[in-house]
Amino acid sequence: MSQSATDPSPRQWRNVTVVRQRDARRVRRLWGWLIGLVVALTPSAFYLLQQMEYVQVRYRIEELRAERTRLADEERRLRVERATLEALPRVESRAADRLGLVTPPPDRVVVVRPPAARQAELVARAPDGKLDAR
């Protein structure tokens, strides 16, 4: 039994690659699931973004409240310090100690009134209630 070189042997197999065709229904179903999933998860994503923004804003509000409280305390402290520094007995004692100033005798004291108070006093003294512009 001799076979020629051109004849294929019955014992040899010819493997042909299998080409699988795409199932259009399966691809459409997959895209349908993906689009449905995106549509279903979109509101959740927006909700989560809103919640994150809300939490960040709440933290910022709390920071600002703490800053306001701190600044109010600082202002209160500075007002007390200013009142202490402006207290007349303290000013008089520092003027006497540091500058060597003394209290003047009563006949040398001149009282200076603010201009608005002086104007009201002059108008009140005027006989007709008006002040002449001189």
Side-chain angles (χ1 to χ4, degrees):
M1 282 189 63
S2 131
Q3 290 185 350
S4 70
T6 58
D7 248 356
S9 166
R11 293 183 183 173
Q12 291 180 342
W13 296 93
R14 297 181 77 192
N15 289 334
V16 179
T17 57
V18 178
V19 177
R20 187 173 174 195
Q21 293 180 351
R22 287 188 176 207
D23 185 8
R25 290 179 301 178
R26 186 170 185 238
V27 171
R28 277 194 306 261
R29 196 173 337 140
L30 179 64
W31 278 109
W33 273 99
L34 286 174
I35 290 172
L37 186 63
V38 167
V39 168
L41 292 180
T42 298
S44 298
F46 280 117
Y47 173 76
L48 289 175
L49 288 172
Q50 289 295 322
Q51 282 300 109
M52 287 175 24
E53 183 71 24
Y54 174 76
V55 168
Q56 289 175 352
V57 167
R58 292 297 299 173
Y59 278 129
R60 182 69 180 137
I61 287 172
E62 288 304 316
E63 287 173 6
L64 291 173
R65 282 184 180 157
E67 180 75 8
R68 184 179 63 184
T69 303
R70 187 189 66 76
L71 290 173
D73 291 342
E74 181 73 12
E75 180 187 20
R76 208 172 299 117
R77 186 188 65 77
L78 290 173
R79 284 181 189 265
V80 168
E81 184 179 346
R82 186 179 95 195
T84 302
L85 293 174
E86 289 178 345
L88 289 180
R90 186 171 189 277
V91 171
E92 286 176 354
S93 69
R94 291 192 78 178
D97 292 344
R98 289 195 179 174
L99 301 175
L101 300 178
V102 293
T103 305
D107 60 336
R108 304 267 330 239
V109 174
V110 177
V111 178
V112 179
R113 292 195 176 101
R118 179 101 173 123
Q119 183 75 11
E121 182 181 302
L122 291 175
V123 170
R125 287 188 186 173
D128 59 353
K130 295 181 181 176
L131 185 62
D132 264 345
R134 296 180 196 186

